[in-house]
Amino acid sequence: MTTTPTDAAPRPWDADVLGVLMAPFTGTALPPWIGEALDAGLASVILFGHNTPDPATTRALSRAVHARSEDCIVAIDEEGGDVTRIQSATGSSLPTAWALGEVDDIELTRHAGHALGDVLAACDVDLDLAPVLDVSTDPANPVIGTRAYSDDPDRVAAHARAFATGLIEAGLGTCAKHFPGHGATSTDSHTALPRIDLDRAEFERDHLAPFRIVPWLDAVMTAHVLVPALGEGPASISPWARPLLDRAAGGTFRGLLITDALDMAAVARDPGYGEAAVRALESGADLLCLGTSIRRDDEQMVREAHDAILAAVDTGRLGREALHARAVRTREHCRGLRTRRRFVPARDLTEVLARAEQLGAAAAARAVRSRDARLGLGPTAVLDLRARANHASGARSEQLIQALRDRGVRADVPDYPEQIDADAQVVAITRLPRSNPEEGERLAVLLRRRPDAIVVHVGVPDAAPDHRHLVLAHGAGRTMMRAAVDLLLDGKP
């Protein structure tokens, strides 16, 4: 295993190593060390919610990166719906992928991709780590869920390609994820290594199939998933993944292979963060997404990966010529993405945000569904029963409460849920009540006490409880919650 002494002096930045890194940093301004790395040839930076409290700040930060290094690509994990960075403070203007798949209007999905691309372009972002090609076949999946377009591979492929087309039309780079498919597991790779025990034929039919569209995209992100029928070890750091991708794409994929974040527990725990970086390169990755620096020392995080790779070069485990060739190829792709981004003129930020808001509201209104669920304007207790919010969302009951208050409903979270006023209306939020024992028990206790409670389910429909007063919101973000509230109050979104 590659290790880096913690007490050693920092090694000088190596241009070939920097040429294969997608680095995080902390804050809304460039720290000096990231400026030095950009000067030395860093290929890419990735922005997270702590970098992007609002679109205007995102734009200023992206411009600062490009002013320091013209060809460095700024990447962001911006899917819309529950997964947003640029609108992390307010919630995304756009619906979830599942909502778009529920409506099943390909042109609407393309317009949603274009609307998001326009926002990202106005913020001077180059590469969106989207669309999601996972097929959400396990209702107990805690990390994919409504981030997927469907549980049907053909529908996923059609909508993912449409969404990517919209992004490209706006001048953005695209990245399909999470290869070879993260939809058939109930384990979150942020916390452990998921294992998918499907036979090869079933996995390829139901999960690999959407990746046939990747020749039209710019990049593919590998997942930290174990699929014994396909090969040994996690896809992101094992040599079987790249040949499988080539075969799935008919030998015509020429884009970048990017790892999922290497700080995720699925690989950071075993074989370890630095070792995972080396193995990813050995397995054919072009660009290593190092993860988020939140609650970590950002420079130390990047240097640990940098120095582990450099140590592997020193020992001959990684060949210098091969690494140099990889860095050159990766920078060529990055330069191509930057050229596209500059070629398509960015529109006014205020204008594109308003457009996204309008389109998102209309799409969400077409997606939400309800069963015997109506609400008045009186006092309403909102109970979030979810055991744990989606890692990428961060939103809990606030979006629903705000949506209710915006419509004049007196909504609050009770200090003592077991003592809810008998005259108050009750709205409960669920995501995985059938598979998560804690969430399921909370819901059962509530419904025994208040069978009239309305359940707003924000997960996939197959994970919803069997309850007579139910709203299928297909996500927990601002746009989906507003549409759900409109449906509760008006009988229509």
Side-chain angles (χ1 to χ4, degrees):
M1 180 178 293
T2 302
T3 58
T4 303
T6 57
D7 58 348
R11 300 187 65 171
W13 293 117
D14 183 280
D16 291 335
V17 177
L18 291 175
V20 297
L21 297 186
M22 178 183 283
F25 59 91
T26 304
T28 57
L30 296 184
W33 73 267
I34 199 76
E36 295 168 3
L38 288 167
D39 293 343
L42 182 63
S44 175
V45 299
I46 181 168
L47 303 182
F48 290 94
H50 59 88
N51 303 117
T52 60
D54 56 70
T57 302
T58 307
R59 178 177 57 189
L61 188 56
S62 298
R63 287 176 175 175
V65 171
H66 292 139
R68 191 75 180 247
S69 177
E70 186 176 359
D71 291 331
C72 177
I73 58 170
V74 175
I76 199 164
D77 192 9
E78 185 77 24
E79 299 170 13
D82 293 358
V83 181
T84 179
R85 312 301 184 201
I86 286 181
Q87 294 183 293
S88 58
T90 62
S92 177
S93 303
L94 294 169
T96 59
W98 192 278
L100 293 170
E102 183 76 14
V103 176
D104 199 18
D105 180 338
I106 294 297
E107 278 301 291
L108 174 65
T109 300
R110 181 177 70 83
H111 287 311
H114 200 143
L116 178 57
D118 280 341
V119 172
L120 295 176
C123 293
D124 208 18
V125 171
D126 306 301
L127 173 65
D128 190 14
L129 301 180
V132 172
L133 265 65
D134 301 312
V135 183
S136 189
T137 57
D138 189 341
N141 195 311
V143 66
I144 301 301
T146 59
R147 298 169 63 193
Y149 290 98
S150 178
D151 56 6
D152 174 74
D154 290 335
R155 184 175 293 194
V156 167
H159 284 275
R161 185 170 180 184
F163 194 85
T165 298
L167 287 169
I168 292 168
E169 288 171 343
L172 265 291
T174 56
C175 179
K177 61 187 185 186
H178 306 81
F179 182 82
H182 203 316
T185 175
S186 59
T187 301
D188 183 349
S189 52
H190 290 82
T191 59
L193 178 61
R195 178 186 175 105
I196 301 176
D197 286 313
L198 299 177
D199 64 47
R200 188 182 186 99
E202 183 178 2
F203 189 93
E204 291 189 356
R205 181 189 68 237
D206 294 341
H207 297 279
L208 193 64
F211 287 90
R212 65 181 181 268
I213 74 167
V214 300
W216 289 275
L217 307 185
D218 300 296
V220 172
M221 175 175 281
T222 50
H224 306 315
V225 294
L226 189 65
V227 190
L230 301 181
E232 184 178 350
S236 54
I237 59 172
S238 300
W240 57 265
R242 182 125 205 174
L244 180 66
L245 175 62
D246 289 341
R247 186 166 66 82
T252 59
F253 175 64
R254 300 290 182 265
L256 293 170
L257 191 63
I258 305 175
T259 67
D260 207 344
L262 294 175
D263 67 329
M264 293 162 62
V267 295
R269 192 173 294 153
D270 180 16
Y273 177 67
E275 174 69 8
V278 175
R279 291 192 192 181
L281 290 175
E282 290 178 321
S283 301
D286 299 302
L287 202 52
L288 309 184
C289 176
L290 300 183
T292 176
S293 62
I294 192 72
R295 293 184 295 276
R296 297 182 178 92
D297 183 306
D298 50 2
E299 181 178 5
Q300 181 181 356
M301 183 180 180
V302 177
R303 283 196 178 276
E304 183 178 347
H306 172 275
D307 291 356
I309 296 168
L310 205 50
V313 173
D314 292 341
T315 63
R317 181 178 172 185
L318 291 175
R320 168 61 74 174
E321 290 186 6
L323 178 62
H324 176 72
R326 188 86 54 89
V328 168
R329 177 179 181 273
T330 298
R331 286 198 180 95
E332 287 175 352
H333 277 282
C334 292
R335 193 172 299 113
L337 292 175
R338 285 292 297 138
T339 299
R340 180 196 299 168
R341 172 71 285 289
R342 291 191 293 259
F343 181 77
V344 180
R347 298 170 61 186
D348 176 75
L349 180 56
T350 301
E351 175 190 331
V352 297
L353 285 169
R355 169 61 178 152
E357 194 77 34
Q358 180 184 35
L359 185 146
R366 294 173 63 183
V368 295
R369 306 282 186 267
S370 71
R371 180 174 68 209
D372 193 16
R374 294 298 301 273
L375 202 62
L377 298 178
T380 302
V382 178
L383 302 179
D384 192 335
L385 304 182
R386 292 172 290 175
R388 185 174 60 87
N390 186 307
H391 83 280
S393 166
R396 293 195 68 80
S397 60
E398 291 84 356
Q399 296 291 357
L400 178 57
I401 290 172
Q402 189 59 54
L404 287 166
R405 289 174 178 172
D406 288 347
R407 288 294 310 271
V409 177
R410 293 168 55 192
D412 288 292
V413 177
D415 293 331
Y416 303 98
E418 69 280 1
Q419 298 177 5
I420 298 171
D421 190 320
D423 295 329
Q425 304 171 108
V426 177
V427 176
I429 306 172
T430 63
R431 186 166 65 97
L432 297 169
R434 295 187 181 184
S435 59
N436 185 286
E438 181 182 354
E439 183 175 330
E441 179 59 21
R442 287 177 178 175
L443 178 61
V445 169
L446 173 65
L447 294 183
R448 282 195 296 268
R449 187 182 305 124
R450 292 295 302 265
D452 62 327
I454 294 171
V455 174
V456 175
H457 182 70
V458 301
V460 299
D462 283 350
D466 184 15
H467 180 57
R468 59 181 291 188
H469 309 298
L470 181 68
V471 175
L472 296 178
H474 310 306
R478 174 168 58 90
T479 298
M480 303 314 301
M481 290 296 92
R482 285 183 172 181
V485 167
D486 289 346
L487 187 60
L488 284 170
L489 295 175
D490 305 331
K492 61 181 183 300

